[in-house]
Amino acid sequence: MLIKIGFDIELGVAAPTALIYMLQVHPSRAADIPAGENITISPPLVTDHCQDVFENHCARVHVPFGVSSVRLRNEAVVFDSGWADPVDYGAVAHAPADLPVSTLPFVLPSRYCEVDSELLQFAWANFGNVAPGWHRVQAICDFVHRHLRFDYQRARATRTALEGFREGVGVCRDFTHLAITLCRCMNIPARYVTGYLGDIGIPAVPYPMDFSAWFEVYLGNRWHTFDARHNTPRIGRIVIARGRDAADVPISMVFGANTLQRFEVTTDEIVQ
């Protein structure tokens, strides 16, 4: 399967500044983009590239005096297996003492995931009797999927997992933060993932195309994909970045006043 991806994002700026973006496909999928991505910046500006501690592609754009807006565009074709997310009911949980040290940051509290809160007691009271491993994570996804009502109009960039739990509403990042937090409360490493997820294999949804958020948990000596928002295996996930929560993987960050002037995302299967 071939999937066309891309974006067209424009940010207005008020003064010389720096703009950081995390919009390139994750290096783990590089082999699936033989022609590469075609990211352009208008106007052409000096840009530094690096990888962060989670091995995500990052870029810093130097915005000089006299530039009032920066437009980022990209298009690429990605090869995908066309398979839905794998399901492994036999994936087992690990005791905290047996977890690889690389997974430990993903069992601790983070900016949007308050493990050290009332959610800790709630998690053990509601999921402690569920068989550990895959079934426990799925029970958490089932709960979050039922508990939160999806509403674009109620999106809030500062909403934490605990606030989402109390308010009962949110968008995909809120579903993801709450599920991650409940998993971590149960000592299951869980990390935040942002990327492309189109309406492939499902009826088209009545929302503008956007980037999506889901999560991965460490069970049975590997990472597995879960999605509390959709709560069903999906086709065509293309990872952009991974981190502890959304704070680690912002699609863009400007040091100073800025306004979003354009935001378009493309994720379409190429029908041959």
Side-chain angles (χ1 to χ4, degrees):
M1 172 186 290
L2 297 177
I3 302 174
K4 180 181 179 181
I5 62 169
F7 56 79
D8 187 348
I9 301 170
E10 187 169 6
L11 296 164
V13 295
T17 186
L19 182 158
I20 295 175
Y21 70 81
M22 197 176 293
L23 289 163
Q24 291 176 261
V25 172
H26 194 268
S28 60
R29 294 298 300 266
D32 296 328
I33 316 176
E37 296 181 84
N38 182 30
I39 295 180
T40 61
I41 303 174
S42 302
L45 297 171
V46 175
T47 304
D48 306 315
H49 295 270
C50 66
Q51 284 193 4
D52 68 8
V53 296
F54 302 112
E55 300 182 344
N56 303 312
H57 278 304
C58 302
R60 179 181 61 182
V61 181
H62 298 255
V63 184
F65 181 80
V67 173
S68 60
S69 69
V70 179
R71 188 174 181 183
L72 305 169
R73 284 176 283 188
N74 183 31
E75 58 180 26
V77 174
V78 182
F79 173 79
D80 191 80
S81 68
W83 301 334
D85 303 323
V87 174
D88 183 0
Y89 296 114
V92 298
H94 301 275
D98 298 328
L99 288 169
V101 292
S102 61
T103 68
L104 296 181
F106 304 106
V107 292
L108 302 175
S110 58
R111 168 67 178 84
Y112 292 108
C113 300
E114 310 102 320
V115 177
D116 49 349
S117 69
E118 66 189 63
L119 291 174
L120 181 62
Q121 182 176 356
F122 175 87
W124 281 100
N126 286 271
F127 309 113
N129 291 326
V130 179
W134 187 278
H135 295 285
R136 181 172 286 174
V137 177
Q138 186 57 58
I140 288 171
C141 285
D142 292 343
F143 165 76
V144 174
H145 185 75
R146 294 191 308 267
H147 184 73
L148 296 185
R149 176 174 58 84
F150 186 87
D151 189 345
Y152 260 126
Q153 303 304 315
R154 297 286 300 278
R156 188 172 76 247
T158 59
R159 182 183 286 123
T160 68
L162 181 58
E163 290 170 338
F165 174 75
R166 291 172 174 172
E167 296 170 19
V169 69
V171 292
C172 59
R173 61 176 273 158
D174 302 302
F175 284 75
T176 301
H177 282 149
L178 181 54
I180 285 174
T181 304
L182 293 172
C183 286
R184 291 180 187 173
C185 286
M186 306 300 294
N187 302 322
I188 302 169
R191 62 189 185 187
Y192 188 99
V193 185
T194 183
Y196 293 93
L197 179 61
D199 302 331
I200 299 173
I202 65 167
V205 298
Y207 309 116
M209 185 59 65
D210 198 349
F211 297 112
S212 189
W214 59 91
F215 70 108
E216 296 172 344
V217 300
Y218 191 84
L219 298 170
N221 294 311
R222 62 178 294 265
W223 291 96
H224 300 265
T225 296
F226 283 86
D227 185 341
R229 158 73 178 98
H230 299 101
N231 204 29
T232 188
R234 291 286 298 271
I235 298 170
R237 295 186 196 273
I238 301 169
V239 175
I240 292 176
R242 298 181 175 98
R244 292 166 297 182
D245 59 30
D248 286 334
V249 294
I251 60 172
S252 66
M253 184 175 67
V254 181
F255 294 90
N258 66 94
T259 56
L260 181 62
Q261 299 178 343
R262 184 194 311 264
F263 187 86
E264 299 171 8
V265 177
T266 300
T267 315
D268 295 317
E269 179 184 359
I270 297 175
V271 179
Q272 297 176 308

